Amino acid sequence: MIRAQVTVDEAKRFVCDVYGLRVAGIYCLNGYDDKNFHVKVDSTIDSSNTCIDKVSECGYVLKIINSLDSEDERRFEAQTSLLIHLNKCNIRCPKPVLTKEKKIFEKVIISGTNHIIRLLEYIDGTILHKIDQYMPELFYQVGQLAAKIDNALQDFDHPVYRERIQWSLGSAADILQYLHAINDENKKELVSKIINEFSARVLSIENELEKGIIHGDINEQNLLVENKDGWYIKAVLDFGDTHYGCYIYELALAVAYMIFTSNDISNGAHVVRGYCSARTISLKEFKLLKICVLARYCQSLLYGAYSSLEDPNNEYILTTSKTGWSLLDRISSIPEDKLLGIWGKGLDLK
């Protein structure tokens, strides 16, 4: 079990002891491997005991990082620099809060294991996953935001982001070792077929594809939206899977998750057009989009199934599986030329 087993009272104590703030209200947020809390704090602060000059009216997010990721402190140093960089580029994302000792994070012991804790400013809004009306313009904005992030990070780098991570599409072949987590032989066969094709067509030519630092997880849980005469993207969250990877992977992830959240394969077209409005992709890259999308579904489904064996009470882990397997079947059954014709309609790719 790598997820912190922490109570609300313990979380409140961390906010007080580490950040010098008094908790006025706290509740749990969704998390995959991490424990997250939305915290409201008392507006009266002791400036000698905290690094905050003015309390955020929207509150803060207390993140208690899982024990495995907590072993790599450099990643959180890098992420702090990245969040500051993106905010300077007018891409709204959470701003880190320093501890009362002026550190970017603190390590605490919970149930005998080390966990990094961080505090970020909370951005008010609605998680995209929770809205019940999906308009083409919203998916267009998702694609456009993904491209803008990729563009903004072209002049940002950190050695940590050059390291291989589990959730990179470039690591998709690793999931074959977790096939035992599913019992259905037809599903095992489908996953094996997709990953083998992905390895042959994409991984074999990764060095020929354009790369950079990418968000790495543009999904329906990581986007905040707001309704002002229509829904629009307000902010992007969770940079825990940011890494150096192929730009086509960034687009594929956005397409995969927007199709998943809307259960409409055709919505991939809006995401693609939005991405291409801010950043050019080549025809060579576009032709790999379907197999990249399928590989991402395989990653989510296999890791979800395996993690569920380890943590059966975490319903968030199995979010993708509810409709993911049927989407995998449906998308894989559509001829590639037909599907790319739907997603790339009106684009002039070279």
Side-chain angles (χ1 to χ4, degrees):
M1 179 74 69
I2 63 173
R3 199 167 188 243
Q5 301 303 298
V6 59
T7 66
V8 169
D9 285 340
E10 287 176 311
K12 290 168 67 174
R13 178 167 55 81
F14 292 145
V15 174
C16 179
D17 293 349
V18 178
Y19 292 93
L21 300 170
R22 292 191 296 271
V23 175
I26 184 171
Y27 66 87
C28 292
L29 299 171
N30 280 338
Y32 194 96
D33 287 327
D34 302 330
K35 287 283 287 188
N36 303 315
F37 297 89
H38 182 196
V39 181
K40 291 289 189 73
V41 302
D42 195 312
S43 59
T44 303
I45 59 175
D46 178 0
S47 59
S48 66
N49 195 43
T50 181
C51 283
I52 296 174
D53 295 324
K54 182 181 179 182
V55 168
S56 169
E57 292 183 2
C58 294
Y60 303 89
V61 176
L62 176 69
K63 295 183 71 68
I64 304 178
I65 309 302
N66 68 80
S67 59
L68 181 61
D69 288 341
S70 292
E71 294 175 2
D72 189 0
E73 297 182 6
R74 299 170 309 137
R75 178 159 289 276
F76 299 97
E77 294 167 356
Q79 193 176 115
T80 299
S81 298
L82 180 141
L83 292 172
I84 293 171
H85 177 84
L86 286 177
N87 273 289
K88 288 180 179 178
C89 293
N90 296 317
I91 292 175
R92 194 168 185 192
C93 54
K95 294 180 181 178
V97 177
L98 296 179
T99 71
K100 63 183 183 182
E101 302 296 333
K102 298 184 179 180
K103 297 191 293 185
I104 59 176
F105 60 78
E106 186 62 82
K107 266 196 171 182
V108 298
I109 297 177
I110 302 172
S111 301
T113 57
N114 287 316
H115 293 271
I116 284 176
I117 63 172
R118 307 171 68 212
L119 197 67
L120 306 169
E121 287 190 9
Y122 182 87
I123 302 174
D124 196 25
T126 302
I127 298 293
L128 177 60
H129 172 67
K130 294 184 177 180
I131 69 173
D132 55 9
Q133 182 182 18
Y134 296 112
M135 305 299 290
E137 175 61 24
L138 191 58
F139 294 115
Y140 182 94
Q141 289 178 44
V142 171
Q144 190 175 58
L145 174 62
K148 287 181 176 179
I149 292 172
D150 292 347
N151 289 338
L153 294 177
Q154 285 182 353
D155 61 351
F156 175 88
D157 204 357
H158 191 285
V160 163
Y161 293 132
R162 297 284 178 151
E163 298 172 2
R164 194 170 185 267
I165 68 167
Q166 179 186 35
W167 278 98
S168 166
L169 262 182
S171 302
D174 294 351
I175 65 170
L176 294 180
Q177 63 186 299
Y178 298 103
L179 283 174
H180 66 276
I182 52 177
N183 298 319
D184 191 310
E185 291 301 320
N186 290 329
K187 290 178 179 177
K188 288 183 180 180
E189 184 178 349
L190 179 58
V191 169
S192 296
K193 178 183 177 182
I194 289 170
I195 295 303
N196 287 332
E197 181 183 348
F198 177 78
S199 298
R201 292 182 57 194
V202 184
L203 295 184
S204 64
I205 64 164
E206 256 197 342
N207 291 336
E208 301 173 20
L209 303 174
E210 194 171 0
K211 296 181 179 181
I213 305 295
I214 63 176
H215 178 280
D217 198 20
I218 299 290
N219 69 49
E220 74 286 355
Q221 303 279 356
N222 291 339
L223 295 170
L224 281 180
V225 297
E226 192 166 69
N227 192 350
K228 288 185 177 179
D229 299 322
W231 291 103
Y232 75 94
I233 304 294
K234 184 176 183 179
V236 58
L237 311 173
D238 197 347
F239 289 79
D241 290 322
T242 296
H243 64 282
Y244 183 80
C246 300
Y247 287 125
I248 190 60
Y249 293 169
E250 186 87 290
L251 175 58
L253 302 183
V255 168
Y257 286 114
M258 292 309 104
I259 288 174
F260 165 74
T261 197
S262 64
N263 199 27
D264 186 342
I265 294 172
S266 67
N267 280 327
H270 307 305
V271 180
V272 172
R273 281 199 293 273
Y275 191 92
C276 291
S277 73
R279 191 177 176 282
T280 302
I281 63 170
S282 67
L283 180 59
K284 180 179 182 178
E285 291 172 303
F286 182 68
K287 286 183 176 180
L288 301 174
L289 186 57
K290 176 188 174 182
I291 190 62
C292 287
V293 168
L294 291 174
R296 183 48 158 205
Y297 281 135
C298 289
Q299 274 187 308
S300 294
L301 291 165
L302 261 293
Y303 283 138
Y306 178 75
S307 296
S308 182
L309 295 179
E310 301 292 310
D311 188 6
N313 295 320
N314 187 352
E315 295 182 3
Y316 179 67
I317 288 176
L318 292 177
T319 299
T320 307
S321 68
K322 295 175 183 177
T323 55
W325 285 110
S326 62
L327 270 175
L328 190 70
D329 281 328
R330 285 163 54 197
I331 295 174
S332 62
S333 67
I334 301 174
E336 187 167 77
D337 288 348
K338 180 179 179 180
L339 185 60
L340 294 181
I342 295 171
W343 289 346
K345 186 176 181 181
L347 297 179
D348 183 19
L349 302 176
K350 299 178 182 178

